[in-house]
Amino acid sequence: MPMDPSSAMLSQALLLLQCIILTLGQYDICKSLVSTDDGPTWEYYACQPKPMSMKEYMKIRVEPPDITCGNPPERFCTLENPYLCSDECDASTKELAHPPELMQDRERTGLITYWQTVTWSRFPEPLLANISLSWNKSLELTDDIQITFEYGRPTIIVLDKSLNYGRTWQPYQYYADDCMDAFGMLPKRVQDLSATNVTRVICTEQYSRWVGSKNEKNVRFEVRDRFAIFAGTKLQNMDNLYTRMESMKGLRDFFTFTNLRLRLLRPALGGTYVQRDNLLKYFYAISNIEIPARCKCNLHAGHCSLRDGNLQCDCEHNTTGQDCSACERGFKAKSWKPGSYLPTPNGSPNICTNSAPGEASGTSGKCNCNQLGSLHARCNDTGFCQCREGTTGQKCEDCLPGYNWKQGCVPNVCDDELLLCQNGGSCIQNQKCACPPEFRGVLCEQPRCQGERGCDGASACYLSALTLLLCLLVNSLLKANA
Ligand SMILES: *[C@@H]1O[C@H](CO)[C@@H](O)[C@H](O)[C@H]1NC(C)=O
Ligand SMILES: *[C@@H]1O[C@H](CO)[C@@H](O)[C@H](O)[C@H]1NC(C)=O
Ligand SMILES: *[C@@H]1O[C@H](CO)[C@@H](O)[C@H](O)[C@H]1NC(C)=O
Ligand SMILES: *[C@@H]1O[C@H](CO)[C@@H](O)[C@H](O)[C@H]1NC(C)=O
Ligand SMILES: *[C@@H]1O[C@H](CO)[C@@H](O)[C@H](O)[C@H]1NC(C)=O
Ligand SMILES: [Ca+2]
């Protein structure tokens, strides 16, 4: 039986609210003060910095050095106006100069500013240009890279990346109007990729065909479409993506880089062969390079800041280094580990500690049994901490499988391995499944509407206490409107 319109609306509103709650602000705090029976204590979480517009921080280098137009001054025309070659590039005049920094400026005045190369006047020698972008910092893409070309998108490009500050490079994506002809590769689209081959390096023809220079200016490296394979088309289930980031080898590294390089191999041709009688209309021009990414801090920092001209993680959890990839001095009792996205939504901080096994810091007897995980504050005569149910480890600081830390180890109601939420439900803090409106039960295993009854508006209030509150709010608003 179909739901009545108001209850359908309510369900939609709730789903939307749930989305907002689940996707906003995930992993953005590293610690918080919580009150326990023994007074306030810090709880630590896996954390990562917010995405930033990395074009603000990138160093650009173009090769060969004399590829930028204007020295000496030269004339050019466009593919759409090939016989009006009166435009001029002149490096010595501000209004007519097109230096590389115009690929990363903010264009506050509303005027489009762009880097431009010399024209292809030396045909048949190929017109080649490299643009290298460096940050001296490991970064992780959070959205599509977007490169904006004025006067037409090139017919052949390779995007490369480096993970080691430019020492070695690997191709990231190939772009051509004819992939087979340019690279001997079959053309693919990111939309054709699936969970098993999401990290495949492909050649795409989507951004190189001539459609007019003003109709479509952008060339993308699609990050969103790749995320969507796991998180859904609206990225509504980021938990699933983060879970895969932990379990699927190479997935995180695929989105990680320290440098990018754009190899421009053939300019826009206007949809036809090269016309040798007018080579002044062939060149490259880029007005903007957008790189949405976050600093890679190994889930040990919530912020990343510019220090001495370089981006650096503001490390927490007693870690240190540009990427928080080491334990601070004095905190090397356990070997360093990156934080983990699991269990969602707070992850595991894997903090560096200063207490080595058996090495009691501080005064008389204080063998550092974890207050929440152990039965007694002190260890017994032989130096053992006695752990509560579900708890393990030298100090009773870890949980047995099937348990998760929440001011002590509590048994899981749901998880990503055995106790899977069913019918599209998502597991919240291992403690409850948030079910879609049509299902209920601990693991969302029961259809809500069986037969004719039980499908009234009120039944849509199915979520946690928080969403219940919001639900009541929405309900009263709906009533007020009616
Ligand atoms: C671009 O970089 C590649 C790889 O280092 C190099 O082989 C090529 O010669 C460079 N092209 C130009 C135009 O400098
Ligand atoms: C790169 O960053 C590291 C750490 O911040 C710094 O020590 C080094 O000097 C930087 N290198 C360059 C070339 O800026
Ligand atoms: C990826 O896998 C899907 C099916 O699993 C297939 O249809 C697609 O062609 C594959 N893509 C590539 C680039 O291999
Ligand atoms: C790290 O070390 C400082 C002392 O230097 C301490 O106050 C703090 O609680 C430690 N732990 C974490 C997780 O930051
Ligand atoms: C101390 O605790 C450990 C672990 O629970 C136990 O095996 C040992 O027998 C205990 N020793 C004493 C003296 O109570
Ligand atoms: Ca610009």
Side-chain angles (χ1 to χ4, degrees), residues 44 317-318 331 351:
Y44 298 95
H317 304 155
N318 287 315
F331 292 91
I351 59 181

Side-chain angles (χ1 to χ4, degrees), residues 437-451:
E438 313 84 57
F439 292 91
R440 63 194 171 104
V442 177
L443 297 173
C444 314
E445 73 281 11
Q446 293 171 26
R448 182 173 289 280
C449 301
Q450 278 170 325

Side-chain angles (χ1 to χ4, degrees), residues 1 20 44 46 59 66 112 130 154 184 213-214 234 236 243 251 272 327 331 333 337 359 387 392-393 426 428 438 458:
M1 176 183 135
I20 293 169
Y44 298 95
K59 292 194 178 65
D66 58 1
I112 294 174
N130 286 351
S213 69
K214 298 204 175 61
K234 298 196 174 86
Q236 67 272 32
T243 303
L251 185 61
T272 173
C327 289
F331 292 91
K337 269 168 85 175
E359 172 198 300
C387 299
T392 184
S426 41
I428 299 184
E438 313 84 57

Side-chain angles (χ1 to χ4, degrees), residues 4 29 52 74 80 88 106 142 146 161 169 175 193 217 236 238 257 259 270 278 323 342 372 453:
D4 67 80
I29 54 167
M52 304 195 279
E74 63 180 310
E80 271 128 348
E88 199 182 6
R106 285 200 186 168
T142 54
Q146 182 178 290
K161 75 163 185 173
W169 293 86
Y175 302 86
L193 296 176
K217 297 178 168 189
Q236 67 272 32
M238 287 298 279
F257 61 97
N259 303 50
N278 184 355
D323 306 343
L342 297 178
L372 298 168
R453 280 162 298 133

Side-chain angles (χ1 to χ4, degrees), residues 379-387:
C379 49
N380 70 13
D381 298 342
T382 49
F384 281 97
C385 300
Q386 279 192 301
C387 299

Side-chain angles (χ1 to χ4, degrees), residues 30-31 42-44 315-319 328-329 331 349 351-354:
C30 299
K31 62 183 174 201
W42 287 104
E43 248 187 25
Y44 298 95
C315 301
E316 305 249 8
H317 304 155
N318 287 315
T319 62
E328 239 182 309
R329 213 192 299 166
F331 292 91
I351 59 181
C352 292
T353 61
N354 59 357

